[in-house]
Amino acid sequence: MSSVIYQGLFFLFTLLVLALPLGWYIKEIMQGNIPKGVRFLQPLERLFYKVIGPISKKEMSAKRYGASVLLLSISSIILLIVILMTQHFMPGGSSAKNLSLPLALNTAVSFVTNTNWQAYAGETTLSNASQMFGLTVQNFVSAGVGLSVLVALLRGLSQVKKKALGNFWQDLTRSLVYILLPLAIIFAVLLISQGTVQTFKSGISYEGLEGKNLWLHLGPVASQVAIKQLGTNGGGFFGANSAYPFENPTIFSNFLENLAILLIPAALIFAFGFWVKDWKQGRTIMIVSLFFLLLAFIGVAFSEYYGPEFTHVLGSTNLEGKEMRFGVGWSSLWSVGTTAASNGSVNAMLDSFTPLGGAIPMFLMQLGEIIFGGVGSGLYGMLAFLLLAVFIAGLLVGRTPEYLGKKIEAFDIKMASIVILTPLMLTLFGAMIFVLHPEVLTWLRNQGPHAFSELLYGATSLANNNGSAFGGLLADTPFINLLGSLLMLVSRYLPIIAILLLAENMGSKKKAALSSGTLSTVSPTFVSMLIIVILVIGALSFLPALALGPIADYFTMK
């Protein structure tokens, strides 16, 4: 167990060392200060602006910024549906069947909303063309949209008496050209060096151990895996995701992919401190995020090492559903990393984790995926919690709540509450609808509390734009495809609209001078306050549901 803790600490140390300079770089890029080393990419940036047209040069209000986000997303969903429903007729797609409308809709919504929920096995359902021109493209774009919305909020928090939030098309282009694309190329090359497949061939025939001719599916895997992790997307090229040797071949590739999941979200916390010119504000969020992540990692690893239900077979360690090359340590770290971030990829079968080992990743999602979280969406979700904590603390001590020198008013708290409560309410709503459906038992391969855990995890994953699954739930049904699409759409875009309105309102305010009555948001007391607010909202909302699922499952197995 001690060696597993050292693994986790080494991983976090590496993450912070890389995230700090990347955070400065992201701040410079998104403020329009292009470093000399990447100015050779400026012609590509200008080409994007030329294609987009004059709209890429105008300052935008929250309404216009949000309309641009929705326009791009709706167009992307329609285009991706067309690709998936006609893939059989596209080059190289003769062996792939066209997807049904419910499955195509669910898949398109999933990838456009940065959820990457997959109700299919990628290598047997999709063609290489669909993977490259459909899914991989949206892995870039959906991450860029999240980063752009965050940047709009940062402008609102830092500027004075100005409502304009910048230009969405510029923010999106810069995030793609200077951040996501270069990082994806670097990580793809590193993954190829480890043996991750990268080819335009659909596969090769080989003779199996029983003398039968079998087919090994191949494709442009490394390029998709790199951006699926960096963009906190998570959709796997193969059905087994990052547990599959041709997608995640070695311990080093596993380390790289796990690092990629959290790298940009961690860097954005540093970028936030640089942006507002107060690194202590970023430090507050980083301490809270590391506290939850490290505590969750220790909890999962401890549960998997000392879970009681496998002692008669495997000693005291639960290795069921885990790749032996990764073991308990790297599997536990991945499970909390992918659910803390809005990623959804897996390198082990979460359905085979112990009840408490599976409950912790579920709870990380139920917090709203603010512990590092998705690219952009994680930090703006955490800032919503932070504003709520400032407001509550102000009420407790009788001071006017302020953050970064700006007063927190009723409208700001309403918008922050929408951001916080939307995924929370959708999770409970989705779980309720699942349970009440008359065919629910036909979707499940288990019974009792564990079956409810599978349903609750599925609703949690969809409503928080994560995309991972427990397993044991038959996801490809018309009802789940349609309900899941609704949950993913509302959970993604309602908070985005609220964040943009919040950003515009904060940007229009003047800054007040610091005084002895100003509440410190960088002190240990406030850090503790923020942790308590996050825990109380999560615990009070989901404890009854968790008691019926993983907690009951734990005591049943005991």
Side-chain angles (χ1 to χ4, degrees):
M1 182 67 184
S2 60
S3 63
V4 171
I5 302 300
Y6 292 142
Q7 287 177 8
L9 292 175
F10 175 73
F11 172 83
L12 293 176
F13 173 77
T14 306
L15 174 68
L16 296 178
V17 168
L18 295 177
L20 178 59
L22 180 60
W24 174 86
Y25 174 79
I26 291 175
K27 187 269 297 186
E28 290 292 297
I29 291 294
M30 301 311 292
Q31 288 185 341
N33 305 319
I34 311 301
K36 291 182 179 180
V38 292
R39 287 180 184 173
F40 69 93
L41 294 172
Q42 286 182 315
L44 181 59
E45 179 188 7
R46 290 193 288 268
L47 176 62
F48 271 97
Y49 296 152
K50 188 175 181 180
V51 172
I52 294 169
I55 194 175
S56 65
K57 300 178 181 179
K58 299 178 181 178
E59 288 273 301
M60 292 181 171
S61 63
K63 183 178 179 180
R64 290 181 64 86
Y65 205 103
S68 298
V69 171
L70 294 177
L71 174 63
L72 175 65
S73 300
I74 293 171
S75 302
S76 298
I77 290 172
I78 294 172
L79 178 60
L80 189 49
I81 289 174
V82 171
I83 291 174
L84 295 173
M85 294 186 68
T86 60
Q87 65 173 355
H88 176 74
F89 307 108
M90 293 184 177
S94 58
S95 62
K97 296 180 180 180
N98 296 329
L99 269 61
S100 65
L101 178 57
L103 181 56
L105 172 65
N106 183 273
T107 304
V109 170
S110 176
F111 277 79
V112 172
T113 59
N114 201 248
T115 308
N116 292 48
W117 171 271
Q118 292 177 286
Y120 59 89
E123 70 270 34
T124 59
T125 307
L126 301 183
S127 67
N128 284 350
S130 295
Q131 298 267 24
M132 286 188 294
F133 302 114
L135 306 191
T136 303
V137 169
Q138 291 308 316
N139 283 343
F140 279 96
V141 175
S142 63
V145 169
L147 180 53
S148 301
V149 173
L150 171 65
V151 167
L153 176 60
L154 297 186
R155 290 196 185 103
L157 291 173
S158 57
Q159 64 195 20
V160 179
K161 292 185 178 181
K162 181 181 178 182
K163 287 191 174 183
L165 300 177
N167 185 282
F168 168 71
W169 302 106
Q170 288 184 15
D171 293 338
L172 178 64
T173 299
R174 288 170 183 164
S175 66
L176 295 175
V177 172
Y178 296 110
I179 300 170
L180 295 172
L181 184 60
L183 284 174
I185 292 174
I186 293 171
F187 271 85
V189 171
L190 290 172
L191 290 175
I192 291 171
S193 73
Q194 295 301 298
T196 303
V197 175
Q198 182 71 16
T199 177
F200 292 116
K201 290 184 178 180
S202 59
I204 57 173
S205 178
Y206 69 98
E207 184 177 312
L209 295 176
E210 297 179 353
K212 297 180 181 180
N213 287 328
L214 302 175
W215 184 256
L216 178 63
H217 292 275
L218 303 173
V221 181
S223 55
Q224 181 169 322
V225 171
I227 188 56
K228 88 165 186 179
Q229 308 297 27
L230 286 164
T232 59
N233 300 284
F237 189 97
F238 298 103
N241 212 282
S242 290
Y244 193 62
F246 288 97
E247 188 167 315
N248 186 11
T250 67
I251 289 292
F252 184 60
S253 69
N254 185 79
F255 184 86
L256 285 173
E257 290 189 36
N258 207 342
L259 187 67
I261 292 171
L262 294 170
L263 180 59
I264 295 180
L268 289 175
I269 297 176
F270 287 113
F272 166 66
F274 293 135
W275 193 294
V276 299
K277 298 179 181 179
D278 186 353
W279 69 271
K280 291 183 179 179
Q281 301 295 339
R283 183 187 66 183
T284 295
I285 297 175
M286 183 61 75
I287 290 173
V288 173
S289 298
L290 289 175
F291 169 80
F292 277 102
L293 186 68
L294 188 57
L295 197 64
F297 167 61
I298 293 173
V300 173
F302 188 87
S303 182
E304 297 307 298
Y305 254 104
Y306 302 112
E309 50 269 33
F310 296 95
T311 54
H312 63 291
V313 179
L314 300 169
S316 61
T317 303
N318 176 19
L319 292 174
E320 181 184 291
K322 299 177 179 64
E323 280 288 304
M324 295 302 294
R325 55 208 168 103
F326 303 144
V328 168
W330 294 119
S331 299
S332 299
L333 184 62
W334 189 293
S335 70
V336 298
T338 195
T339 49
S342 176
N343 187 269
S345 63
V346 294
N347 73 346
M349 179 55 67
L350 295 176
D351 198 36
S352 295
F353 277 41
T354 60
L356 297 185
I360 292 172
M362 192 189 309
F363 189 66
L364 284 174
M365 289 191 294
Q366 290 169 346
L367 294 178
E369 293 198 319
I370 58 169
I371 310 306
F372 292 107
V375 172
S377 60
L379 183 52
Y380 67 63
M382 175 64 84
L383 287 171
F385 269 94
L386 195 149
L387 292 179
L388 180 61
V390 169
F391 183 76
I392 294 174
L395 293 178
L396 292 176
V397 299
R399 295 176 179 174
T400 302
E402 294 179 1
Y403 186 60
L404 298 177
K406 297 185 175 183
K407 292 184 178 180
I408 307 302
E409 300 169 321
F411 181 82
D412 306 315
I413 295 302
K414 289 177 182 177
M415 294 302 103
S417 298
I418 290 174
V419 176
I420 294 170
L421 295 178
T422 295
L424 186 156
M425 296 299 295
L426 289 175
T427 297
L428 298 175
F429 172 77
M432 178 190 71
I433 297 298
F434 279 154
V435 171
L436 292 178
H437 196 279
E439 297 180 6
V440 63
L441 294 179
T442 65
W443 302 338
L444 297 166
R445 294 186 177 91
N446 291 284
Q447 298 179 351
H450 193 76
F452 181 75
S453 295
E454 293 170 347
L455 287 176
L456 180 61
Y457 193 100
T460 301
S461 181
L462 288 165
N464 288 274
N465 296 131
N466 183 274
S468 64
F470 239 34
L473 173 65
L474 181 62
D476 187 15
T477 67
F479 179 81
I480 294 180
N481 283 331
L482 295 175
L483 176 61
S485 299
L486 177 63
L487 294 176
M488 289 184 284
L489 283 170
V490 178
S491 183
R492 174 70 166 178
Y493 295 109
L494 186 57
I496 282 179
I497 298 303
I499 284 293
L500 293 174
L501 293 173
L502 171 64
E504 184 178 69
N505 191 56
M506 294 294 289
S508 64
K509 299 178 182 181
K510 63 181 181 179
K511 281 194 174 183
L514 295 177
S515 68
S516 58
T518 302
L519 177 69
S520 173
T521 54
V522 298
S523 65
T525 302
F526 184 78
V527 169
S528 303
M529 180 73 178
L530 180 56
I531 291 173
I532 292 171
V533 168
I534 293 171
L535 281 176
V536 166
I537 291 176
L540 292 181
S541 302
F542 295 106
L543 185 58
L546 291 171
L548 294 174
I551 296 176
D553 195 14
Y554 172 79
F555 284 107
T556 301
M557 299 189 82
K558 289 284 284 187

